[in-house]
Amino acid sequence: MASSNGPETRPATPADLIGFGELRELLGVARSRAHTISRDRDFPPPWYAGEKERLWLRADVEAWLDRHRPGWRQTTG
């Protein structure tokens, strides 16, 4: 149900989420650099942070890439 305070929200589906491997691919960096970037204060926080796994909302990561790496969409398949 939509509230008058903002857009309607829904639970995230697997298609909405990306793990660390896909995050590395989107960033186009090595594992250690991806860890550094993902822990930066202006990077979106994980949607889920477990003991051994973190998941991010794809839309949050893509919005970050749009702000910090203009043109990234033209370089991905």
Side-chain angles (χ1 to χ4, degrees):
M1 178 164 84
S3 74
S4 60
N5 295 343
E8 183 174 339
T9 59
R10 62 178 174 74
T13 66
D16 297 329
L17 302 172
I18 61 170
F20 190 74
E22 191 170 353
L23 178 66
R24 285 182 52 212
E25 288 179 26
L26 285 172
L27 294 172
V29 297
R31 181 179 196 85
S32 61
R33 182 69 181 135
H35 274 292
T36 301
I37 291 169
S38 69
R39 285 174 165 71
D40 189 87
R41 64 184 172 97
D42 73 335
F43 197 78
W47 177 84
Y48 168 81
E51 192 172 314
K52 295 187 179 196
E53 181 179 31
R54 291 182 293 159
L55 299 172
W56 289 264
L57 285 171
R58 179 182 303 280
D60 290 350
V61 173
E62 289 179 353
W64 184 91
L65 285 164
D66 288 339
R67 286 189 313 275
H68 295 276
R69 297 195 176 171
W72 73 272
R73 291 178 191 270
Q74 286 77 33
T75 61
T76 60

